[in-house]
Amino acid sequence: MEAFEVTKILNNNVLIASSSKYDEVILIGRGIGFNRKKGSLISKGEAEKFFVLKSEIEKEQYKKLLPDIDENTLAVIISAIDLIRSRTQSFLDEHIHVALTDHILFAINRLMKGLAIKNPFNAETKAMYPFEYTIAHEVVELINDRTSIELPEGEIGFIALHIHSAVSNKNLSEINQFSQLIVKLIEMIENQLDIKLDKDEVNYMRLVRHLRYTIDRVLSGEKVNEPEKMSSFLKQEYPLCYNLAWKLIKIMQQSLKKPVFDAEAVYLTMHLQRIQNKIK
């Protein structure tokens, strides 16, 4: 059984240790840090949870976070991360330990002071990342069931973005940037078509997902084939939606700093026309 040398006790349930194989690891287990001393040996089997934080900055952040968390809250957060890992059945970027712990602690502190923050991108997040949103809903229910806190619905969206970040290994600020871009595109659609989209309606969900996949294709450089003669037909039949599609594409190009293939305008026009027909 692999043995570790204790380098720092963070609290009764969490300690930092090192071994010949790993520089530093986080070991978690009920009472694992009780009566331990720096330099003492501990087997991996004594820990309930074990993870590596490769980034020095994140390691320091995690060390600073833990003294502010009571044992029950920490246990709930660890259970939440286990739930995410089992539901996604994929490797999670270890950054989630720091990011999600920090976010949940921040959310709890806000609520205790009566300072709940609204999530302006909750509907868009639900539409863009339905799989992650479903898991985040379970996470919020878990936290609400096992603590005296009642996290609001907007927290589902925030946690869903953390899950997407951990699964896709994308930076959270980059993911937030795309959410803001989609909100900007939606606002332009509403203004240009003089409509107010219902965020709970299926066509809104489809539009948001289409915009998200368009952004993904632009970032990856994936080419979309243009249906033959479709562009000139749409330009002639649906000039308002066709011109709007090109305005949206120009915003994407400016924001993402990458070219967008002409064929995207065809598919966007068809989406916009479908929405306009539903509104009429």
Side-chain angles (χ1 to χ4, degrees), residues 123 126 198-202 204-205:
K126 186 177 182 180
D198 180 355
K199 292 189 174 186
D200 295 321
E201 215 262 324
V202 68
Y204 181 80
M205 301 281 189

Side-chain angles (χ1 to χ4, degrees), residues 80 83-84 87-88 130-140 156 159 163:
L83 172 67
I84 293 164
R87 292 290 184 272
T88 57
F131 175 61
E132 290 90 334
Y133 194 90
T134 301
I135 299 167
H137 195 281
E138 283 189 70
V139 168
V140 167
I156 301 172
I159 291 169
I163 296 169

